[in-house]
Amino acid sequence: MGLNVVIDVAMRNVVRTPLPGTLDLVTYLWMPCLTLLALGYAEIRDEQIRVTLLVDATSERSRRRQAVVVEAITAALGAWMTYLAIGAAMRSFDISETTISASWLPLWPIRVVVVLSFALFSLSAIARIYRILAGERLKTEIEQGVEAQNDY
């Protein structure tokens, strides 16, 4: 993506003409791949943004229960989004959907990436449930902050 944008900017400055399709490639290909595929990775590493103000004051056992419930809801929502994305990908493939300004760029492969990313996100939430039930220690926000400071 970076190379695509750098070439586009260089062409705008040198030849006064942008690289054709850059906006479409960045919007429909690079950004969905970069952002959505990282969801599952962030979930499995427990790097999602979490509001733990009320949870941190409870016992380890209570935090564990709450984390399992939250991860179960996350997995269910991920599975639902996967289901919806499968329908969108199939419709896109059936009609050979392309972008409006770059008719050479099919959208169904990107929609398949969306399906895979939501499926991986859901599976990551299920894996987190397993790790929590297997005894992984849940750190409070303060403990995570201290670790982050020690990393620098």
Side-chain angles (χ1 to χ4, degrees), residues 126-139:
I126 293 168
R128 286 254 323 125
I129 291 171
Y130 174 77
R131 286 171 41 189
I132 292 166
L133 294 175
E136 178 182 274
R137 187 170 179 284
L138 300 175
K139 298 174 187 155

Side-chain angles (χ1 to χ4, degrees), residues 62-148:
S62 178
R63 281 196 314 265
R64 187 174 301 285
R65 282 189 200 140
Q66 292 167 0
V68 168
V69 169
V70 167
E71 293 297 339
I73 292 169
T74 300
L77 287 173
W80 180 57
M81 290 187 297
T82 303
Y83 172 76
L84 294 175
I86 288 171
M90 291 173 64
R91 280 189 301 280
S92 180
F93 182 77
D94 286 343
I95 64 171
S96 299
E97 184 181 20
T98 62
T99 65
I100 293 172
S101 57
S103 59
W104 51 267
L105 181 63
L107 289 180
W108 69 264
I110 293 103
R111 301 223 188 260
V112 171
V113 169
V114 172
V115 170
L116 292 174
S117 65
F118 286 144
L120 290 172
F121 177 67
S122 189
L123 291 173
S124 296
I126 293 168
R128 286 254 323 125
I129 291 171
Y130 174 77
R131 286 171 41 189
I132 292 166
L133 294 175
E136 178 182 274
R137 187 170 179 284
L138 300 175
K139 298 174 187 155
T140 65
E141 192 69 28
I142 294 171
E143 291 171 331
Q144 289 176 350
V146 168
E147 281 183 3

Side-chain angles (χ1 to χ4, degrees), residues 22-106:
T22 295
L23 181 61
D24 292 306
L25 284 170
V26 170
T27 303
Y28 296 109
L29 179 64
W30 304 128
M31 289 306 288
C33 290
L34 289 173
T35 57
L36 293 177
L37 288 174
L39 281 176
Y41 180 74
E43 180 65 26
I44 196 74
R45 292 181 47 97
D46 194 24
E47 292 181 354
Q48 298 283 15
I49 296 173
R50 302 183 193 281
V51 179
T52 61
L53 182 64
L54 299 175
V55 177
D56 282 350
T58 62
S59 68
E60 171 75 20
R61 187 174 181 184
S62 178
R63 281 196 314 265
R64 187 174 301 285
R65 282 189 200 140
Q66 292 167 0
V68 168
V69 169
V70 167
E71 293 297 339
I73 292 169
T74 300
L77 287 173
W80 180 57
M81 290 187 297
T82 303
Y83 172 76
L84 294 175
I86 288 171
M90 291 173 64
R91 280 189 301 280
S92 180
F93 182 77
D94 286 343
I95 64 171
S96 299
E97 184 181 20
T98 62
T99 65
I100 293 172
S101 57
S103 59
W104 51 267
L105 181 63

